[in-house]
C-alpha cells in the first residue's frame, strides 16, 4: 500500500501540458527551459504548447525526454530560430553536426504548427533540424535553411513529415534515416 501511494504521487508530480510564451503569460518564456522541466521517460505524452513569437534559441530534446510534443500556436508566427553554421562553430571537420537549431535525440517526438529555422543565411553548412530519434513526426511545419536544412540521422530510424514546407540549397535533406514526406512542399 505504501509503495502504491508513493508511485501515484511520483506519477502525478509532473505536468502533461506546459505553455511557453514570450510575454510571460505561460509556464516558461523559453522552450529549452520547458523541456528541462519535463520528466524523463514519461508514461504519457507531454505536450509543450508554444504561443506565437520568435524564440531565438537552440533547442535540444535529449534521448531521455521521450514522448514530447512541441505544438505551435501558428506555423507562420511560432518560430524557433538560431544562426549557428560550420565556420562559426569551428569544431573541426564535424562542425556541421553542432549547428542545429532543433536537435531531437529522443524517440516518439512530435512537432506541429512550427517554423524551425537556421537563420545563418548562405554561409555554408547550417542545420535547421537534426533528427536522431526514431518514430519522430513533423506536421504542418516550415523547416527553413540553406545548406543541410534537415539531417535525418540514424540508420534504423524512421521520420514522418506531413504538410511541411521545406527549403534549402546544397544537399539540404540528408542522412541515413528513412524519411517519408507526405503532401510536403520542398523548395530548392
Amino acid at each position: 500500500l505504501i509503495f502504491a501511494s508513493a508511485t501515484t504521487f511520483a506519477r502525478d508530480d509532473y505536468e502533461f501540458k506546459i505553455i511557453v510564451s514570450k510575454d510571460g503569460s505561460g509556464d516558461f518564456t523559453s522552450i529549452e527551459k520547458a523541456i528541462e522541466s519535463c520528466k524523463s521517460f514519461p508514461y504519457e505524452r507531454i505536450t509543450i504548447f508554444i504561443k506565437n513569437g520568435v524564440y531565438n534559441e537552440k533547442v535540444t530534446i535529449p534521448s531521455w525526454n521521450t514522448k514530447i510534443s512541441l505544438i505551435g500556436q501558428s506555423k507562420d508566427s511560432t518560430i524557433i530560430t538560431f544562426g549557428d553554421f560550420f565556420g562559426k562553430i569551428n569544431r573541426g571537420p564535424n562542425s556541421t553536426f553542432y549547428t542545429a537549431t532543433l536537435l531531437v535525440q529522443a524517440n516518439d517526438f512530435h512537432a506541429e504548427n512550427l517554423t524551425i529555422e537556421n537563420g545563418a543565411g548562405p554561409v555554408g553548412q547550417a542545420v535547421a533540424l537534426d533528427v536522431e530519434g526514431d518514430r519522430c513526426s513533423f506536421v504542418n511545419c516550415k523547416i527553413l535553411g540553406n545548406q543541410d536544412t534537415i539531417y535525418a540521422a540514424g540508420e534504423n530510424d524512421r521520420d514522418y513529415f506531413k504538410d511541411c514546407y521545406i527549403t534549402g540549397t546544397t544537399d539540404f535533406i540528408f542522412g541515413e534515416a528513412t524519411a517519408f514526406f507526405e503532401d510536403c512542399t520542398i523548395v530548392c
Side-chain angles (χ1 to χ4, degrees):
L1 185 60
I2 292 170
F3 176 74
S5 65
T7 303
T8 302
F9 175 77
R11 185 165 181 218
D12 293 337
D13 196 26
Y14 67 98
E15 294 294 322
F16 292 105
K17 186 165 185 178
I18 298 166
I19 298 173
V20 177
S21 179
K22 294 291 287 182
D23 67 8
S25 63
D27 302 304
F28 296 93
T29 57
S30 159
I31 300 165
E32 187 68 18
K33 292 293 183 191
I35 292 163
E36 290 171 2
S37 78
C38 293
K39 177 178 178 25
S40 54
F41 305 108
Y43 301 109
E44 297 178 42
R45 180 160 294 280
I46 297 173
T47 298
I48 299 174
F49 179 75
I50 307 165
K51 290 187 177 182
N52 287 340
V54 177
Y55 297 84
N56 190 11
E57 59 181 298
K58 286 178 80 88
V59 176
T60 299
I61 311 294
S63 61
W64 55 86
N65 282 131
T66 57
K67 299 179 187 169
I68 285 184
S69 291
L70 297 183
I71 309 295
Q73 185 174 358
S74 162
K75 171 179 71 173
D76 294 319
S77 299
T78 307
I79 302 164
I80 305 169
T81 186
F82 208 77
D84 277 349
F85 58 95
F86 186 94
K88 178 181 175 185
I89 294 294
N90 195 22
R91 293 183 77 166
N94 295 311
S95 294
T96 301
F97 304 101
Y98 294 97
T99 64
T101 298
L102 175 60
L103 169 60
V104 179
Q105 298 171 320
N107 294 337
D108 302 307
F109 172 81
H110 177 74
E112 193 168 335
N113 302 331
L114 293 171
T115 293
I116 303 160
E117 171 188 56
N118 188 310
V123 292
Q125 297 163 320
V127 177
L129 174 62
D130 179 342
V131 186
E132 299 176 4
D134 189 24
R135 298 178 307 274
C136 296
S137 59
F138 301 83
V139 176
N140 196 39
C141 291
K142 289 169 80 174
I143 306 164
L144 312 175
N146 281 283
Q147 187 172 344
D148 298 344
T149 304
I150 297 175
Y151 175 47
E155 187 174 315
N156 297 310
D157 291 347
R158 297 151 297 173
D159 304 319
Y160 176 67
F161 297 83
K162 169 90 171 120
D163 297 322
C164 291
Y165 179 89
I166 302 161
T167 64
T169 59
T170 310
D171 65 358
F172 63 98
I173 300 173
F174 71 112
E176 58 279 354
T178 299
F180 184 75
F181 299 86
E182 183 177 1
D183 298 324
C184 293
T185 301
I186 300 174
V187 179
C188 182

